[in-house]
Amino acid sequence: MAKLKLALYWASTCAGCDVAVVDINDKIFDLFELADIVFWPVALDFKYEHVEAMEDKTIDVCLFNGAIRDSEHEKMAKLFRVKSKLMVAFGACACFGGIPALANFHNREEIFRQVYIEARSNQNSAGVLPQSSTTEEGEQLLPEFYDTVSTLAQVVDVDYFVPGCPPPVELILKVVDALATGQLPPPGSVIASDKTLCDECERKKGEKKITRIWRPMEIIPDPEQCLLEQGIICCGPATRGGCGLGCLKANMPCRGCFGPPPGVLDQGAKLVSAIASIYQTNSEEEIARMVEEIVDPAGTFYRFGLADSILKRKRI
Ligand code: SF4
Ligand code: SF4
Ligand code: SF4
């Protein structure tokens, strides 16, 4: 069988998704048996010109991690879409915007002011801000920083979604196996479970109502009991399963990195609804107190999914 041609690209990313690929340990040799890597900026010194010079659809699979933050990311997403038969959104940032998309609670002007002017570590008395071009030493172009972070699918057509921050090793191996055998699910599929995380979680649930919200470091939770029913916000009801329950096994709540389960349009709204259904109160004062107890509501409800939510970004 002819070897596949595989490209890996990183856009707005922490590189954890690239590390996750390396983390498959000796199975990486199976990957090299299966595929020739034709682009992987974190590991190999290919240039953009090499991709541009390829015939269209030369690349069999592009694993694209990271969100779309600037014009370079968008340009590369479009280039890989043209050059690749299959485009895979790899990791929470590519699938849903991920952590980088939390910046959508601010606009470009606010981000530049904070990062380049107000941050205490700055020495920038001239107030210089990033530019997309300069004529010093000839014309130089730099990527344009967008006002809004987007998901990969908001920029190009995506064939498959592999969620997780980063995708767990078992899931990456499943993807490699599916590529090797050609047994891929229908285009547009999310390669994970079709259940919610709660469906897969073995903790005791459905018994308790809550009267207050705790942050994880404020109590030591019962490892057998549902965390949400102990008052710790756990995104399980609003999150797709298939991650292997790593956080729950460490007695920590889910933060939602597998994105919404099938049929759920907005992960944050679903989680709010789940919390409201088990919160026991008879008064507006108690509701107001509970809302105060949620220290970072935006980051709690939309930690990984803001760009992919109905809200998408701050409106003013
Ligand atoms: S999904 Fe997580 S690990 Fe992957 S690039 Fe984004 S933040 Fe990093
Ligand atoms: S809310 Fe969290 S702890 Fe409770 S059942 Fe769902 S995944 Fe498990
Ligand atoms: S438990 Fe939630 S946050 Fe943790 S890995 Fe699974 S989906 Fe991601």
Side-chain angles (χ1 to χ4, degrees):
M1 188 179 99
K3 285 175 92 173
L4 298 174
K5 288 192 173 16
L6 177 68
L8 299 97
Y9 183 73
W10 54 357
S12 184
T13 168
C14 75
C17 284
D18 289 292
V19 173
V21 174
V22 178
D23 206 28
I24 62 177
N25 292 321
D26 55 323
K27 294 284 182 190
I28 202 157
F29 295 113
D30 293 349
L31 181 64
F32 294 154
E33 281 286 312
L34 172 72
D36 285 330
I37 312 281
V38 297
F39 194 84
W40 195 6
V42 79
L44 301 166
D45 189 23
F46 291 109
K47 308 294 184 197
Y48 289 174
E49 302 91 87
H50 297 140
V51 182
E52 285 162 350
M54 292 175 189
E55 298 281 333
D56 291 358
K57 307 299 177 198
T58 297
I59 299 168
D60 291 292
V61 185
C62 175
L63 298 182
F64 191 107
N65 77 70
I68 307 299
R69 161 85 280 177
D70 65 31
S71 56
E72 182 181 20
H73 303 150
E74 180 173 4
K75 179 182 163 189
M76 293 308 292
K78 289 178 173 168
L79 181 63
F80 277 113
R81 178 65 279 186
V82 170
K83 303 296 179 185
S84 308
K85 293 179 190 134
L86 293 180
M87 192 73 164
V88 179
F90 189 76
C93 295
C95 290
F96 322 115
I99 301 294
L102 285 171
N104 288 356
F105 284 117
H106 305 273
N107 60 30
R108 175 171 50 191
E109 189 188 335
E110 290 165 348
I111 293 168
F112 278 9
R113 190 171 61 239
Q114 173 60 35
V115 173
Y116 297 101
I117 309 284
E118 293 174 353
R120 288 188 184 180
S121 56
N122 276 329
Q123 286 193 327
N124 183 12
S125 54
V128 177
L129 297 177
Q131 308 293 316
S132 55
S133 68
T134 172
T135 50
E136 281 183 38
E137 299 186 35
E139 190 181 20
Q140 309 283 334
L141 300 177
L142 288 170
E144 184 192 344
F145 186 97
Y146 290 158
D147 206 40
T148 301
V149 174
S150 299
T151 71
L152 181 61
Q154 287 164 349
V155 173
V156 295
D157 288 338
V158 170
D159 297 294
Y160 295 105
F161 299 83
V162 180
C165 180
V169 168
E170 295 70 25
L171 195 59
I172 297 172
L173 293 175
K174 194 172 159 185
V175 172
V176 172
D177 190 52
L179 291 172
T181 59
Q183 292 180 336
L184 287 157
S189 295
V190 179
I191 302 181
S193 169
D194 284 338
K195 297 177 177 173
T196 68
L197 197 73
C198 287
D199 290 333
E200 298 180 347
C201 178
E202 293 176 350
R203 289 171 180 253
K204 283 181 265 169
K205 47 194 174 264
E207 297 163 9
K208 292 191 179 167
K209 297 278 180 185
I210 58 173
T211 53
R212 68 155 290 175
I213 301 288
W214 300 92
R215 299 180 80 188
M217 70 284 203
E218 290 177 325
I219 59 169
I220 298 175
D222 177 348
E224 306 288 327
Q225 178 75 34
C226 169
L227 292 168
L228 196 54
E229 293 181 11
Q230 295 180 68
I232 297 171
I233 294 179
C234 177
C235 301
T239 299
R240 183 183 289 269
C243 68
L245 301 166
C247 303
L248 282 305
K249 286 175 185 165
N251 215 11
M252 291 297 287
C254 172
R255 286 296 173 237
C257 78
F258 263 51
V264 171
L265 199 56
D266 190 298
Q267 193 177 20
K270 173 72 179 172
L271 185 56
V272 170
S273 154
I275 293 170
S277 70
I278 63 163
Y279 193 70
Q280 195 164 38
T281 178
N282 295 316
S283 74
E284 285 186 17
E285 289 76 27
E286 284 180 16
I287 293 171
R289 176 179 55 78
M290 187 201 73
V291 169
E292 288 298 315
E293 286 167 359
I294 302 172
V295 174
D296 175 18
T300 301
F301 298 123
Y302 292 102
R303 181 161 308 185
F304 294 98
L306 181 58
D308 197 40
S309 69
I310 295 169
L311 190 61
K312 184 160 185 183
R313 63 157 301 114
K314 186 173 94 165
R315 297 291 160 180
I316 50 169

